Amino acid sequence: MHCDVLIVGGGVLGTSLAARLSRTRLKVCLAERAADVADGASKGNAGITSSYYAAPGTLAARLTTASVFRWDEVCRRLNVPFRRIGAVMPAMTEPEAAALPELCRDAIACGVRAALLTRDQALELEPLLSPGCLGALHLPDEGIIDPVRLTWALAELAARNGVRIMLGTPVVGFRRSGDRIAAATTPEGEIEARFVVNAAGLQADRVSQLAGGESFRMWPRKGQYWILDRAFGARLRHIVFAAPATETKGIHVVPTTRGSVLLGPTADDGEDRDDKATVSERLQDAFEHARRLVPSVSLDHAIRTYAALRPACDEPFFIRRDARVANLIHTVNRSFGVSASLGSADYVAELLQRDGLEIEPDPQSADELPFLPMLRHTPDPAALSGLPENYSQIICVCEQVGAAEIEAALRARVPARSVEGIWKRTGATGGRCQGALCMAGVLFLCSVHGDVPPDALCQREHGTVGIGDGGSA
Ligand SMILES: Cc1cc2nc3c(=O)[nH]c(=O)nc-3n(C[C@H](O)[C@H](O)[C@H](O)COP(=O)(O)OP(=O)(O)OC[C@H]3O[C@@H](n4cnc5c(N)ncnc54)[C@H](O)[C@@H]3O)c2cc1C
């Protein structure tokens, strides 16, 4: 196989680049070692589209700002749930209050809206804030997105435009020719590429090492969350951020596009890149810190807990050409990869062009996915009444997901192949009951669609949900 650009990794950075390059005449491949896209950090993050993340003038700030005002339009084209709900950052102590004016100035210098609020203004804007707050910073351009559906939708658009998305395809080596990569090795064979983009998240150091590229150190920084149900989520209007470097230790209270609320994340450095176990003491700490900001949070509303791993590196963020391998570009982002994904894809394209790749737009390429009405995100559900029956056959009651959405996930170009694949694309099984009520319906549809018995279907890559003994679905 030969391509112009090989992207290693199907997280949000890899798929946003694939979608970006799919609108050109280039031949592009994306190799993802897992059986589905969005398997690393892009699966477990909070889905905040930050408006302000880094100091003005930095590349990080530039790429975040380059993304932030595009979300409404991109999400409409790709059917990705997004809401620009804004964030408040209450100051709970005098030192925190003293830090807010500088943050406000920095955010404005980055080109986004920000304002300082008095205590009364803050409580009026977000009544769930602690009455003990001394004032707050308001960041109205912050938003929330479904980060997993975003990652899939970018891959789906890319696939529809001809990008070859190779799932279950780890890059295990490279063949070099002088100071360039000639081909990547996978268990399926070689992929010759003019350029390789390393978007392998937590494995980016290993991919670089395999290519004979720069040496950098990566490790997992675990973030743990509580998920609270919609009964609590319905009352919270904004993202509530902890002021930086304070006693709240970066624990936020974050509404999700599905109506639930996340409390977290913790930040614990580790060594085991597969360790996603939750730790009850750390979760308890996260809860206490969240309660300091929003006293009414209650574990009576908890649905579940989970952990995800940030791709931590000595440099928390970089996009650059490798110093040793002429046609290798790294894109690594520990903490704001979703927020900067659109700008990052444009920037990688710029670097490729600077290195001699001709990037010509392809006027035939699609820039949107077919519209799919989603009951949960339809302001007027009566509008669905004229649609085929499967739109109103609700399979997942908690998340209000209809059969039509699940069938669309199974028929996509980058299709769901497991129960988790259905969850990634639709949210089904992820609600209050965690699949207790809807699993039978989901399995039935997967089974009929794939012509496999329900007990051979997988929860994710491994492990059957039925009584079978494993194997991949
Ligand atoms: C707890 C937590 C909360 C966060 N909250 C936010 C937030 O609210 N907003 C925000 O903007 N960001 C947030 N982030 C950061 C964001 O999730 C990351 O910056 C982003 O997901 C990184 O994307 P990625 O594509 O680089 O990595 P990943 O999503 O990890 O993708 C890398 C992919 O590469 C694949 N891969 C690895 N090695 C190989 C190989 N050899 N061959 C083929 N494929 C390979 C992996 O399987 C993986 O799918 C958060 C992160 C965490 C963990």
Side-chain angles (χ1 to χ4, degrees), residues 8-14 31-34 39-42 44-48 169-171 199-201 203 207 223 225 265 308-311 333-339:
V8 184
V12 72
L13 295 183
E32 165 55 54
R33 69 175 184 168
D39 205 63
S42 304
N45 64 70
I48 299 168
T169 307
V171 168
Q203 308 295 333
V207 169
Y225 283 110
L309 304 175
R310 300 174 188 85
N333 192 319
R334 183 190 70 200
S335 301
F336 60 102
V338 176
S339 310

Side-chain angles (χ1 to χ4, degrees), residues 403 406-413 415-417 422 441-453 457:
I406 294 176
E407 284 162 358
L410 290 161
R411 288 203 189 97
R413 296 287 169 84
R417 293 272 181 251
I422 299 286
V442 169
L443 289 182
F444 173 76
L445 290 174
C446 292
S447 186
V448 169
H449 178 87
D451 197 19
V452 286
L457 290 166

Side-chain angles (χ1 to χ4, degrees), residues 349-394:
E350 236 177 270
L351 294 185
L352 289 166
Q353 203 157 21
R354 259 188 247 164
D355 281 350
L357 191 69
E358 324 70 49
I359 302 192
E360 265 182 64
D362 177 358
Q364 307 295 326
S365 62
D367 71 347
E368 61 182 21
L369 295 179
F371 178 65
L372 177 74
M374 293 187 265
L375 178 58
R376 259 205 61 57
H377 304 284
T378 302
D380 172 19
L384 299 185
S385 63
L387 292 167
E389 211 176 79
N390 58 355
Y391 281 89
S392 53
Q393 283 169 355
I394 301 304

